[in-house]
Amino acid sequence: MLKINKNITLSGVSEINGQQIVYMSATINTEGNNNTNTTKTITNKELYNANVEAARADMAAFESEVFKVEDEIKVGINNEVK
């Protein structure tokens, strides 16, 4: 039996002087079961180490966006149940 899953994918990059230092991706299940998979990959270790505070701020901002989308999905599902 075929089961289709719907997901939302977010991606982002942290850049310093136009050079990517971190790639971030999140796949969020739209059924509201909290099965979010988030990946952060340091793509330029040297620049990352020299700019760790800026990179971590970008990663925190990305994570906040992921939480925002998760919350929007939960609100939508709760409204459907009522």
Side-chain angles (χ1 to χ4, degrees):
M1 173 182 263
L2 174 65
K3 181 175 177 182
I4 304 293
N5 296 313
K6 293 182 183 179
N7 296 301
I8 295 172
T9 302
L10 304 177
S11 63
V13 295
S14 177
E15 294 182 333
I16 298 293
N17 298 325
Q19 291 192 338
Q20 179 178 307
I21 58 173
V22 180
Y23 173 80
M24 298 158 279
S25 176
T27 302
I28 305 165
N29 185 289
T30 60
E31 295 174 5
N33 58 14
N34 294 327
N35 284 342
T36 298
N37 181 19
T38 303
T39 303
K40 298 170 190 158
T41 305
I42 297 170
T43 55
N44 187 324
K45 186 77 167 172
E46 205 172 289
L47 273 178
Y48 174 83
N49 286 336
N51 298 279
V52 70
E53 288 182 19
R56 287 181 180 170
D58 287 347
M59 288 188 280
F62 180 80
E63 195 166 279
S64 291
E65 285 298 313
V66 171
F67 292 150
K68 180 179 166 185
V69 172
E70 286 176 334
D71 292 346
E72 289 171 356
I73 290 168
K74 287 177 190 174
V75 167
I77 289 172
N78 288 339
N79 287 341
E80 290 176 10
V81 172
K82 293 180 181 179

